[in-house]
Amino acid sequence: ARARALAGQGDTAGAETLLAEITRRAPRAPLPFLALGQLFARRGALDEAVVALGHAVDYGGGDAQAWAELGEVLGRLGRTEPATDALRRALTLAVDPADPIFSALRGRVHAALGGVQAAAGRLQQAARELRKALDLVGDDDRQLALDYGRILARLGDQRQASEWLTRAARAASADPAIFAEAAAATPDRPRAEALLREGLAQAPGNLSLRAALVQFLASAGRSDEALALAEAARDDAPDDPRAWAALREARAAAGDWPPALAAAATEARLGAPPAFATRLSLALGAEDSDALAELVHQPAAGEATGGIAAPSAGGSTSEGALAKAGDFAAGDALREALAAFVDGRASESNLLLLGRFAPGDSGRRSLARATAPVAPPAGQLAGLLSWAQDFAAATPALVGLAASAGRAAEALDRPLLVAVMGEFNAGKSSFVNALCGDEVAPTGVTPTTATINVLRYGAVPQARVIHHDGTTRPIPAGAVAAFLTALRDDDARDIRLVEIFLPVETLRRVEIVDTPGLNSIRPEHERVARDFLRDADAIVWVLAAGQAAKATEREALGLAHAAGKRVVGVINKIDRADAAEVEAVVRHVKSALGDLLDAVVPFSATRALAARRAGRSDPAFDALGALLEKRFFAEALDLKRATAVAALDRFLAAARDAGPPAGTIGPTPLSLEDLRGALERVAERVNSLLDAERIALRARVEEGYRKAAIEVREFVQPRSWLFGDHRATPADEEFLSELLEDAVERAAARTRTALAGALTDPGDPAALAPARAAAAAAISMALDRFAAYARGVIEGGAVPDFFRHQLPRLRLEIAAIRDVLVRRAPDPEVPLFAGLRQDLDAVFQTAESDLTSAAADTAMRALIHEERVTRPLDAFARALAALKTP
């Protein structure tokens, strides 16, 4: 008594000294150890308190108060299981209702058990224990009401949570800030606002309440009211970071991102920086590159803090929601994405992650625009060609166009490219040799192994083979004819073209493409040949004198004409006809193909080559040379410019036809709000059925047990006798276990089917399929856990206890047997429904977050495509149009 008096007077050290002396003199007396443990616990020396209280229960094991004290201290230490055991022991000992402290002690123990269960995350158990405590000590216990309301809020029981939190807030001497918690718990927005204003009426200067009301008003779209209240709070408490946090919330809700960012900077200066995700969102909204760069180098301290102290009421602002989403993002990945963006090396995945935190279209667009390509150079053909190549190479959807753009850029700086074309056996290679004055093009190559050969000037004769996959290999220039003649079919199929470099003066002015006949080459060669028909600066079409102006030739020449190419027709092999026949052929060609040819000239490649080798003049060759000079060489720059412009036109058309990658943009069947509504309906269906199954499953289990009772009576009764005991064998125990397990399994199977049905509705959007699958998996796992738990209950205790202790004392009546069995039936509430409710809540919360992220990603991809592809191509089109304008 003296020690307790000293403690009451504040002399804790004196009280502990006195109690230590008493325990030394009476080492097995429990009361001094109890008092000493209480003193240790009061000053936070929890380990010493456990030791002292351990002695108290050891020496006075029947003292419920000592066990209660020990359980509370163990709970404070986070030792869940020992704390639970000690507190349940206290409940076992506190059994005398006549004891005046009976209700108070049991209420205190149930409250402590509730706290231990809550700390362990067992919210349903915590709620039950706290409810029992309230029933014992009365609803007026403010702390109990507060704890119970907070647990109910965590469980999602908003209506009950708000009522209990309101009761706690209205209790005498309660913290007015609890009104903010009560407001946050209710889905009724008018009630939430009324609670916040009631709290402020009691404590007008309470910053937590004022901040909560700011959040509420901001989330309700009442930005002006929120801002006025936040500014008043800031003026009243300019050094309190909570006031600046409220101002930040109000500014963010109104979309005033620079002032919101400035408010966040003040919070940081006052020692309470907002969370990294919040600061990132504000900087993106403000489009402040300096703030983003500063964020990259800021330490991670305070990342879990920075919000308004009290929970928001009735929702959160968009900025607040984004900050909350940041809790689910990997902090390191977010920082790395921001660093990449600031350094100008952000990938699309970096931009998508950052885009989830950008508040609105403007912030996301600023992200996309920052990585857009440079504008195409106006009025510069070479610059546009280079820009097209670089742009295609840097754009995944267009990377296939980079090679053709690169070839067009290279071709602009080369000599005039003339394609010698025509059908097989028209004498194209012979014409090339005559034009060059030497045997430079291989002749006599069979059509099945023909390749496309490009003759270019080179100081040293050499050649190389270019394959379709881009690989090359050299061959001696003098061995080209032999190489092509010996080429096998499979090898020829892989060759795109053969480049032949020769020191022939003619090739300084013109590069010549010698193509196989269009009617006799492989499909892959025809594709490359048609590319040259399009890419060449000019075309010489060689026609055989004996079979000129075929329909197939007109078709091919139509393609050249459509591509805007200048084509000169050369009627070869006139040395095999007389003058009248040649004149007739020329008239026929002009009549049939004249609209597709710039000019027609008769020619003998064999005669021209022989004359040039002999140093003689050939009139036909001289006429052809004059024509080519006039039509091709004198206008080489214009021809090459036209070819390059046409290449850019094709590039622009192909780039626009490529379109965005699948899933990048385009309207979704339902908006984000529609999908959220559909998800809510799924959750409501499942939760409603879950509530119904709480009763139905228990009823089905009991019905199964009733049927098992009939079986028990049938196999036990024949072996009973008057005045004797009912006997059972091990086989009977096994049989009853199987009966009861089957009963539970059948009952749970109907629950499984019912919940699966609640998840499936033909009207649900396909986008909810992942959420439904996750919910189905959670349901299946919970039911499997319950089945395992039920087997443990049945085999581990219920059946053996029934046969060994209950059956011998029973009347063999179905009702009596059923009552005994049902009393030990597995209760699905805790092992199944309590955990399943939390699991499903987590599934649907994750699904909602995923829908929000997916919507943000879709919007961000659309903006990336617009800023990286659509807008640059529009600018390119304008620059190209200006280039065509005289």
Side-chain angles (χ1 to χ4, degrees), residues 19 111 152 226 238 241 251 253 266 343 394 490 574 597 645 658 677 793 813 846:
L19 288 170
L152 291 175
R251 290 291 189 186
T266 304
D343 293 343
D490 290 342
I574 61 169
L597 298 171
V645 170
V793 170
E813 296 176 355
T846 300

Side-chain angles (χ1 to χ4, degrees), residues 16-321:
E16 288 182 9
T17 301
L18 183 54
L19 288 170
E21 175 63 19
I22 297 171
T23 57
R24 188 184 66 78
R25 294 186 183 187
R28 301 186 67 81
L31 187 59
F33 281 108
L34 172 60
L36 187 59
Q38 290 171 327
L39 276 178
F40 284 142
R42 192 177 305 162
R43 69 175 177 85
L46 301 184
D47 289 325
E48 292 92 331
V50 168
V51 173
L53 293 171
H55 288 313
V57 298
D58 286 343
Y59 303 141
D63 188 346
Q65 184 178 5
W67 282 104
E69 294 278 358
L70 178 60
E72 288 176 339
V73 174
L74 289 169
R76 290 171 64 185
L77 283 168
R79 296 166 62 181
T80 303
E81 298 308 322
T84 302
D85 291 342
L87 292 168
R88 295 202 182 284
R89 178 69 172 167
L91 288 175
T92 303
L93 295 171
V95 294
D96 185 6
D99 188 337
I101 65 169
F102 168 82
S103 294
L105 179 59
R106 289 184 69 86
R108 173 183 163 192
V109 173
H110 281 299
L113 270 172
V116 170
Q117 300 289 8
R122 302 166 186 162
L123 301 184
Q124 289 285 352
Q125 296 94 313
R128 282 201 302 275
E129 295 295 344
L130 292 172
R131 178 69 259 188
K132 291 175 183 176
L134 286 164
D135 291 340
L136 287 165
V137 303
D139 296 350
D140 295 333
D141 188 309
R142 179 180 62 81
Q143 188 58 46
L144 263 180
L146 178 60
D147 292 343
Y148 186 50
R150 284 172 171 167
I151 292 296
L152 291 175
R154 291 172 65 185
L155 284 169
D157 189 346
Q158 295 176 306
R159 186 181 63 82
Q160 288 289 329
S162 182
E163 288 183 7
W164 282 98
L165 290 170
T166 301
R167 187 176 304 181
R170 288 171 176 168
S173 70
D175 182 358
I178 298 172
F179 278 103
E181 294 185 58
T186 179
D188 184 341
R189 298 186 68 84
R191 172 178 165 79
E193 182 175 0
L195 286 169
L196 291 170
R197 295 197 181 280
E198 181 181 346
L200 281 172
Q202 294 182 19
N206 188 286
L207 265 178
S208 295
L209 280 170
R210 295 170 83 175
L213 184 56
V214 167
Q215 282 188 322
F216 174 87
L217 295 171
S219 67
R222 294 154 64 180
S223 302
D224 292 342
E225 294 178 66
L227 185 57
L229 183 60
E231 288 178 339
R234 185 269 320 272
D235 293 342
D236 292 342
D239 295 326
D240 194 316
R242 291 176 298 170
W244 287 96
L247 184 60
R248 165 173 54 81
E249 289 276 355
R251 290 291 189 186
D256 297 334
W257 302 112
L261 183 61
T266 304
E267 289 178 75
R269 182 174 55 79
L270 293 173
F276 177 81
T278 301
R279 290 176 284 164
L280 173 62
S281 176
L282 296 174
L284 290 173
E287 301 179 32
D288 190 324
S289 56
D290 292 337
L292 290 171
E294 185 181 346
L295 263 180
V296 172
H297 306 293
Q298 284 187 359
E303 295 226 343
T305 64
I308 295 175
S312 64
S316 61
T317 66
S318 59
E319 180 268 331

Side-chain angles (χ1 to χ4, degrees), residues 502-553:
L502 296 167
V504 175
E505 286 303 310
T506 304
L507 297 178
R508 288 184 183 274
R509 302 183 67 195
V510 60
E511 293 184 341
I512 301 172
V513 182
D514 182 19
T515 66
L518 287 177
N519 59 339
S520 62
I521 58 178
R522 301 178 181 280
E524 58 269 21
H525 287 155
E526 179 157 359
R527 183 178 65 251
V528 177
R530 289 184 183 275
D531 287 345
F532 275 108
L533 182 147
R534 180 191 64 197
D535 295 337
D537 300 317
I539 297 172
V540 171
W541 193 272
V542 180
L543 304 102
Q547 45 184 344
K550 294 180 180 178
T552 52
E553 289 180 307

